[in-house]
């Protein structure tokens, strides 16, 4: 899989996954032992490939909008 981390970075999808992962790490429910950007990129790519992501999720995230 050869995708730049910047392909999804800054999108609503990236922001949502980043917040979810941060929450789970903070609560001790998961531990991410690899670069978070890699994990988020992988999850974005897989969700897009499964066609479960809406067009709205691929829009640029508005600063301050729904920050986790």
């Amino acid at each position: 899989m050869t995708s730049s981390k910047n392909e999804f970075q800054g999108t609503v999808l990236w922001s949502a996954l980043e917040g979810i992962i941060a929450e789970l790490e903070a609560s001790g429910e998961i531990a991410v032992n690899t670069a978070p950007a890699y994990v988020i990129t992988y999850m974005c790519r897989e969700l897009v490939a499964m066609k479960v992501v809406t067009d709205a999720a691929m829009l640029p995230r508005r600063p301050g909008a729904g920050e986790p």
Side-chain angles (χ1 to χ4, degrees):
M1 291 181 195
T2 58
S3 177
S4 164
K5 74 176 182 179
N6 295 328
E7 179 180 357
F8 301 103
Q9 202 166 22
T11 64
V12 172
L13 177 60
W14 178 282
S15 182
L17 291 174
E18 183 176 45
I20 291 166
I21 290 169
E23 250 181 62
L24 291 170
E25 281 187 300
S27 69
E29 294 177 67
I30 66 168
V32 177
N33 296 317
T34 196
Y38 176 84
V39 174
I40 297 167
T41 299
Y42 180 84
M43 293 174 71
C44 287
R45 190 179 314 120
E46 292 299 311
L47 291 170
V48 168
M50 292 177 204
K51 299 184 188 300
V52 296
V53 175
T54 66
D55 290 340
M58 296 307 293
L59 294 174
R61 181 187 58 81
R62 292 178 305 170
E67 288 292 317

